[in-house]
Each structure stands twice: as C-alpha cells, then as structure tokens.
Amino acid sequence: MKKGKIKKIKIFVEKNFPPQIVQKAECVVDCGLSGDRFAKGGEKQLTAIDTATLEWMEAQTEKGLCFNRYKANLEVENMDLSALKSGEKLVCGTSQLEISQTGKECFAECVLVQGKKPCMLRSHAKYIKVVESGIIKVDDELYKKQ
C-alpha cells in the first residue's frame, strides 16, 4: 500500500466553533488528540479522511447529511483510506495508531440514502485509536506498520 502524508490536522476544541488547524499535535494513548473535545477514549479517538473524498464531496450537487457532520481530525493525501481495514496498525510521526472502524454510518434521513446514491464516506471515513502516544505533524508520512 502506498504511503500517505498528513495534509491537515484539526483539533475540535468547542462545539459550534471552527476547529483549530495546527502544524503538530500530541496523540495520547487510549484517548485521542490532546485538546480535542472528542478525545475521550473508546473506539473513535481520532477521525481521518482522504483528500480524494473531500474533493468528491465538494463536487456533489446533492450534499449528504454527514458532509458537514463528519469532523475529520486528519486529512490524508496520496493514500486511499478505503483500502484500510479495522485492526490494521499505522505509523505516523512518533505515534502508532489502529483503524478501529471503517466507514461512516448512514442516516435514513440523508438525501443520498433516500435516493440510493453512493457516498464515499461509507468506505473512506476512518475512525482511529491511539495505541502508542507520540507527536504527529503536517507532512508526516502515514503508513501501515509492517
């Protein structure tokens, strides 16, 4: 699998406020990104999306319900995130991560679901847990651990 690169890191500090876009962040084991309001442990400690999916979402005339709801901490370029499966380990900066859930769950009230239309969030949105604390930075490589 091709290595990706971190293009953007977002920390969501407060509800209803835009995220902080940072150059580096601390990944805390069994928690998530330091300072992120979603860093509460569990299986969804971090979220990631690839640039191809963001470009696809932007190009859609009908916007899915989750286009604004899904809050990705990491934007990854040059990597097809749909190829990653639950349980796979990743390395990024000095941190080690694990894919905990693949794809975004759909809602019956979404226009794409109602119209039986495709949505890349179903396969490209990833939920991640931190298995080894460390620092990640913009331009760090993201790759599967061997």
Side-chain angles (χ1 to χ4, degrees), residues 30-85:
D30 295 328
C31 186
L33 284 184
S34 181
D36 190 273
R37 71 185 183 94
F38 298 108
K40 299 176 182 173
E43 296 297 304
K44 297 179 179 180
Q45 299 170 19
L46 286 173
T47 51
I49 195 165
D50 53 41
T51 53
T53 302
L54 290 172
E55 291 166 1
W56 174 85
M57 289 166 61
E58 187 64 34
Q60 299 310 297
T61 53
E62 281 190 292
K63 306 295 182 186
L65 184 63
C66 292
F67 284 24
N68 288 326
R69 285 186 179 185
Y70 182 73
K71 309 282 188 224
N73 297 112
L74 306 178
E75 184 179 328
V76 180
E77 62 183 357
N78 301 323
M79 186 180 214
D80 178 3
L81 293 183
S82 70
L84 295 172
K85 307 294 181 228

Side-chain angles (χ1 to χ4, degrees), residues 18-141:
Q20 291 179 355
I21 298 173
V22 298
Q23 292 299 303
K24 69 178 183 177
E26 179 184 10
C27 292
V28 180
V29 70
D30 295 328
C31 186
L33 284 184
S34 181
D36 190 273
R37 71 185 183 94
F38 298 108
K40 299 176 182 173
E43 296 297 304
K44 297 179 179 180
Q45 299 170 19
L46 286 173
T47 51
I49 195 165
D50 53 41
T51 53
T53 302
L54 290 172
E55 291 166 1
W56 174 85
M57 289 166 61
E58 187 64 34
Q60 299 310 297
T61 53
E62 281 190 292
K63 306 295 182 186
L65 184 63
C66 292
F67 284 24
N68 288 326
R69 285 186 179 185
Y70 182 73
K71 309 282 188 224
N73 297 112
L74 306 178
E75 184 179 328
V76 180
E77 62 183 357
N78 301 323
M79 186 180 214
D80 178 3
L81 293 183
S82 70
L84 295 172
K85 307 294 181 228
S86 291
E88 288 186 313
K89 303 277 194 289
L90 303 169
V91 176
C92 186
T94 60
S95 180
Q96 289 191 30
L97 311 171
E98 181 181 317
I99 300 296
S100 56
Q101 181 179 323
T102 59
K104 174 78 181 78
E105 295 173 16
C106 296
F107 295 97
E109 59 270 24
C110 177
V111 295
L112 298 179
V113 171
Q114 291 173 354
K116 296 185 176 25
K117 296 181 180 174
C119 179
M120 288 180 70
L121 286 174
R122 292 180 186 136
S123 58
H124 290 257
K126 299 296 174 182
Y127 294 96
I128 299 169
K129 59 184 176 181
V130 180
V131 293
E132 188 174 310
S133 295
I135 302 295
I136 59 172
K137 299 182 292 233
V138 169
D139 292 330
D140 275 350
E141 286 186 331

